[in-house]
Amino acid sequence: MRYLPLSEGDRSAMLSVIGAGSIDDLFVDVPAEARQAGPIPGLPLHASEMAVERHMARLSAESLTAGEAPFFLGAGAYRHHVPASVDHLIQRGEFLTAYTPYQPEIAQGTLQVLFEFQTQVARLFGTDIANASLYDGSTASWEGITMAGRITRRKKAVLSSGLHPHYVETARTMARFTGDALVTSAPVLAAAADDDAVIAAIDADTACVVVQYPDVLGRIPDLARIAVAAQAQGALLVAVVTEPVALGLLESPGALGADIVVGEGQSLGVGLQFGGPYLGLFGCREKFVRQMPGRLCGETVDAEGRRGFVLTLSTREQHIRREKATSNICTNSGLCALAFSIHLSLLGGTGLERMAHLSHARARATADRLAQVPGVEIVNTAFFNEFAVTLPRDARQVVRDLAERKVLGGVSLGRLYPGETALANGLLVAASECTTAEDIDALGTALEEVLV
Amino acid sequence: MNDLNPAGWRPAMSADQGESAAVTTFTGNRALQLEEPLLFEIGSADRCGVDFDEAPDLPDALGAFRRKASLDLPGLSEPEAVRHYTRLSRQNYAIDLGLFPLGSCTMKHNPRLDEKVARMAGFADVHPLQPQQTVQGALKVINELAHWLIALTGMHGVAMTPKAGAHGELCGLLCIRAALEARGDAREVILVPESAHGTNPATAAFAGYRVENIPATEDGRVDVAALTARLGPDVAGVMITNPNTCGLFERELKTIADAVHAAGGYVYCDGANFNAIVGRVRPGDLGVDAMHINLHKTFSTPHGGGGPGSGPVVLSEALAPYGPLPFTARQADGSVRLVEEEDAPGIHPEGFGRMCAFHGQMGMFTRALAYILSHGADGLRQVSGDAVLNANYVLRGLEDVLEAPFGAAGPCMHEALFSDDGFAEGFSTLDLAKGLIDEGFHPMTVYFPLVFHGAMLVEPTETESKAGLDQFIGTMRSLAERAREGDPLLKSAPHLAPRRRLDETLAARKPKLVWKA
């Protein structure tokens, strides 16, 4: 009970001020049959800090961590080195334990960070503006689709087969209830991204095409060509970036004509975290600002004319428009946005480019090594930090066999696409600046052993 | 540097503005309160605070899409970055600095043990798609937390993946919709009481429902007669908040739930206020079918300037078969299995799919579990007891100087509601809130709930001491007095914050959302 400051003496003194006999009397409005007389049965009682820490440490030890093993997983979550100063700074109590900045006079720290974050994201994506973050890449993608629907007043979205299958599943869940029509297909393991198939599916009813860049198999679609084809039909291009580090080397989606760019910001500052919390990124053309979901920070002045920042354009939001709101989102990923922003500030444009260059080089070295393993075929011709290979047998089992040898060897396509037997032998392999030559060799050797 | 201070070197402020320390400096700094330029004004694209290895010299495999121009993003060296963000942090109020009496938002102490465990490598440095045998520690945390949530709420199942409270609302409504569809029942309407969070109607609309409002009674609770009269074959469900946003317990929730069930609908409970009853009342016993739990409110996760949150949804027996993927299940051998699409057709045939990529907010799960284990079943009961005790203490301490519209409607739960009735002409709740800033407190929640004019919703939480509450009550009494008398200094507050009142109209009229040179 170390977190509770009231003493028994305080409690009695306060109860007498209130005029109640006991704390239980304050729950008089709860129907008697629903009131628990004592602690809810079947649950343990309080534990000391030491005991809780020991329990959690024991559980933690039951996982094989990315840092302990040669590690090659990606598919929408990437392992990068996060400078120590990032975690130190986000743990400052004034950031960590601050509330949503609804009282701007005493939240300028958070607000200035959000304004800087918005600017960084807009520059990275090549969009006019960006918001102060959403939950994650998958939910941001759905928000991009619904926003395109509001703008075009159409209900059909064409999803490229290179879009992360979990993002497709998220959209499918939502579309089932909103009545949006989604056009999807499973990817074909071919060297090139299937830009032609996406373009062929666009028609006069299409609100948007959603194209991941680089896509889930690591291929790099021709966004500029797709943008032209979409816009010719009055549709919008929603580009999805699950690995923002790629934009250190690749042309930004906005510069290639994307109208809305969404992404997963986990790569910078946030870490793997077993899938969350992550960081939804969202940028778009300035003319769409009033249709944009999520929180926005804007610059203004105070009563003395000094520059300051506030949350703005909240007339789009749920607390004002209720059932007519642009979205029901009530929060952002503020702390993750802070971590992203600090990491990106430490990198700068030059650092991000070097980080991207290094990730790309290590991925190429990995591909070169795997190409020497008998039975392994590299699928991609072009890629950034992640590529697909085909194996001579079901990749799910191969991944488990590698794990037995303490090598985390990638993500099997069978796990991502459980119904698609044509993809069952596919394996996604990702590298980053954390990948060492020893890691690459360990993967190659282990793969040679398990494929025998 | 003059750009930082658009007025240039400013003369001392005049005494009639009420400045006690009206000294203006060249830098804009005020002793330890430092002005900090924007990143874009101090960084440069060629500066970098991270060292990298040399990359091996190989031809690139990027195809035709290599970036032509370099990225226009400023960089900082490590000392510059540390100073930039440390200085910015000092312009924030935070629960670590003092009382944060935000009704409906529950800003309580954040135990640092929870931060420590969230960073343990077995939870933080594991990939969501690692083979299941390599992530048993992380899966066991999810499963153990799920067990607690089910036990504390008296429900049947829990969907762990929703990423925030509003996302949990959506999840709960989708479960309701999926259950109705499974019995071939296409209902169209969700009833939402007036006192509900603004996310509730927005969520219902996003789930494809038509929203109808239900009025509140004069004592701040749902008008049960109006609600039951509206029930019918077109009503899919009711979204209700309990304890409600007026800080009161909905005494008739069981009656409402029975009526809704009899009419073929389901009851969604907004669990944002579960903090007030945790360990004492199980919502399942009151007939709730789905309720999200804001882990960050009830079980203390740092608010981080707006998030991330986490909104697991507990489900009744009727709705549990429809929850989203993935979820965890304990096996006979003690290991935990992650049920994904591959297993779903056999194990979870009616589930509606994913709400998001991956498994939800692991970093919040570890924090919540550490907090729950620290308190235990006995401590959580004390948590809700102290939260309610503190709120009633504040209510009694202020009700003679501030109008408390529902002060006689029964004990308040964890939050106390006041209005600006009796303030001098032209003085409002906002002025009192800004006055609190000068006194070193974060303002309470203002203008919410919308049920009457000038609302002030005060939630002290269980982690405030009696001495701290006495100081807050004394401060509020003094501010209430000044608002009644029409003190002009209150009207122009805050005077001592890093910024005076900010022009929100200008920000909305001419949005400047990104920095431009």
Side-chain angles (χ1 to χ4, degrees), chain A residues 112-373:
Chain A
Q112 183 169 331
V113 165
L114 293 180
F115 185 77
E116 292 176 356
F117 170 82
Q118 288 173 184
T119 308
Q120 286 174 312
V121 173
R123 289 186 180 190
L124 192 63
F125 280 178
T127 52
D128 299 329
I129 56 171
N131 74 10
S133 81
L134 298 172
Y135 306 143
D136 74 348
S138 64
T139 52
S141 294
W142 170 250
E143 292 290 339
I145 293 169
T146 53
M147 177 168 144
R150 288 193 296 275
I151 292 166
T152 60
R153 297 176 187 278
R154 299 175 182 179
K155 295 284 272 182
K156 181 175 146 187
V158 173
L159 312 187
S160 141
S161 68
L163 180 62
H164 195 294
H166 290 174
Y167 290 29
V168 174
E169 279 303 309
T170 302
R172 213 194 298 278
T173 293
M174 292 306 304
R176 176 176 155 195
F177 299 102
T178 58
D180 289 78
L182 303 180
V183 178
T184 58
S185 58
V188 176
L189 273 177
D194 47 0
D195 301 347
D196 293 338
V198 172
I199 289 169
I202 303 169
D203 61 22
D205 296 329
T206 306
C208 61
V209 286
V210 186
V211 182
Q212 188 174 319
Y213 173 85
D215 78 8
V216 72
L217 299 183
R219 304 169 304 189
I220 307 171
D222 187 346
L223 285 187
R225 200 178 140 225
I226 299 169
V228 168
Q231 287 149 10
Q233 300 261 23
L236 304 182
L237 171 59
V238 179
V240 179
V241 178
T242 60
E243 172 50 299
V245 177
L247 302 182
L249 279 184
L250 296 178
E251 203 60 79
S252 72
L256 297 172
D259 301 281
I260 298 168
V261 186
V262 304
E264 173 53 67
Q266 166 274 331
S267 276
L268 293 174
V270 178
L272 291 172
Q273 311 229 49
F274 202 45
Y278 281 4
L279 174 66
L281 307 175
F282 197 109
C284 66
R285 298 184 188 277
E286 193 156 23
K287 64 181 175 186
F288 301 149
V289 64
R290 283 168 207 277
Q291 295 297 338
M292 192 184 212
R295 203 166 272 166
L296 285 168
C297 172
E299 183 185 323
T300 187
V301 294
D302 80 348
E304 293 176 17
R306 292 176 295 181
R307 177 172 69 190
F309 303 93
V310 294
L311 294 181
T312 193
L313 299 181
S314 60
T315 45
R316 309 160 300 128
E317 285 183 31
Q318 35 78 20
H319 54 270
I320 298 189
R321 303 244 307 162
R322 290 171 72 90
E323 66 269 23
K324 294 192 178 67
T326 305
S327 87
N328 76 323
I329 297 169
C330 186
T331 187
N332 67 336
S333 289
L335 201 67
C336 298
L338 173 67
F340 178 99
S341 195
I342 297 171
H343 194 177
L344 195 49
S345 303
L346 283 162
L347 290 164
T350 312
L352 187 69
E353 197 176 319
R354 292 198 65 179
M355 185 172 172
H357 190 63
L358 206 49
S359 293
H360 182 51
R362 298 275 156 82
R364 273 177 298 147
T366 308
D368 289 351
R369 174 67 183 87
L370 295 188
Q372 296 166 20
V373 177

Side-chain angles (χ1 to χ4, degrees), chain B residues 161-182:
Chain B
T161 59
K163 291 194 161 263
H167 203 220
E169 291 173 22
L170 197 54
C171 176
L173 283 197
L174 297 190
C175 291
I176 289 172
R177 187 147 180 169
L180 288 168
E181 282 181 6

Side-chain angles (χ1 to χ4, degrees), chain B residues 8-301:
Chain B
W9 188 90
R10 287 172 295 123
M13 282 174 268
S14 60
D16 61 11
Q17 282 183 289
E19 291 300 310
S20 55
V23 178
T24 303
T25 62
F26 176 74
T27 55
N29 296 337
R30 282 177 155 204
L32 294 179
Q33 188 181 301
L34 306 175
E35 288 291 307
E36 181 60 16
L38 284 164
L39 167 63
F40 306 93
E41 293 159 340
I42 56 174
S44 62
D46 60 354
R47 212 173 313 157
C48 183
V50 182
D51 291 325
F52 289 103
D53 297 340
E54 286 304 316
D57 191 23
L58 294 169
D60 83 47
L62 295 169
F65 305 97
R66 197 183 170 107
R67 171 180 282 283
K68 289 177 190 70
S70 59
L71 261 171
D72 183 20
L73 285 170
L76 300 173
S77 65
E78 183 171 314
E80 290 170 306
V82 169
R83 206 169 268 174
H84 178 63
Y85 290 101
T86 301
R87 286 180 169 190
L88 286 180
S89 76
R90 289 162 46 120
Q91 296 177 23
N92 268 3
Y93 193 87
I95 190 74
D96 281 2
L97 289 165
L99 180 61
F100 231 119
L102 276 167
S104 177
C105 296
T106 313
M107 290 292 286
K108 60 166 83 166
H109 169 65
N110 292 132
R112 289 316 194 270
L113 171 65
D114 303 359
E115 293 304 305
K116 191 173 184 180
V117 302
R119 286 167 173 78
M120 288 178 174
F123 314 132
D125 194 26
V126 284
H127 190 285
L129 297 171
Q130 274 183 226
Q132 292 190 24
Q133 81 256 35
T134 68
V135 287
Q136 281 298 307
L139 289 174
K140 283 179 184 174
V141 165
I142 299 178
N143 204 65
E144 198 171 322
L145 178 61
H147 172 76
W148 273 93
L149 298 181
I150 289 169
L152 289 171
T153 55
M155 302 289 269
H156 195 77
V158 58
M160 295 296 286
T161 59
K163 291 194 161 263
H167 203 220
E169 291 173 22
L170 197 54
C171 176
L173 283 197
L174 297 190
C175 291
I176 289 172
R177 187 147 180 169
L180 288 168
E181 282 181 6
R183 69 178 195 222
D185 196 347
R187 297 178 175 227
E188 295 163 358
V189 176
I190 291 282
L191 305 179
V192 184
E194 273 175 354
S195 62
H197 283 146
T199 46
N200 291 173
T203 298
F206 266 68
Y209 283 108
R210 201 168 74 240
V211 178
E212 289 185 22
N213 291 322
I214 298 293
T217 57
E218 284 195 354
D219 77 344
R221 294 183 171 89
V222 177
D223 185 333
V224 180
L227 188 146
T228 48
R230 179 58 192 85
L231 292 172
D234 60 338
V235 174
V238 176
M239 294 183 86
I240 203 162
T241 303
N242 199 19
N244 72 19
T245 48
C246 300
L248 302 171
F249 195 84
E250 295 286 356
R251 300 175 187 129
E252 306 294 323
L253 180 56
K254 186 76 174 72
T255 311
I256 293 170
D258 289 346
V260 173
H261 292 152
Y266 294 99
V267 177
Y268 186 87
C269 182
D270 185 318
N273 295 338
F274 189 46
N275 190 43
I277 56 171
V278 62
R280 292 174 173 269
V281 180
R282 297 185 303 184
D285 296 342
L286 295 165
V288 170
D289 290 295
M291 181 180 93
H292 73 267
I293 300 169
N294 302 68
L295 295 183
H296 48 294
K297 295 185 183 187
T298 302
F299 303 120
S300 152
T301 280

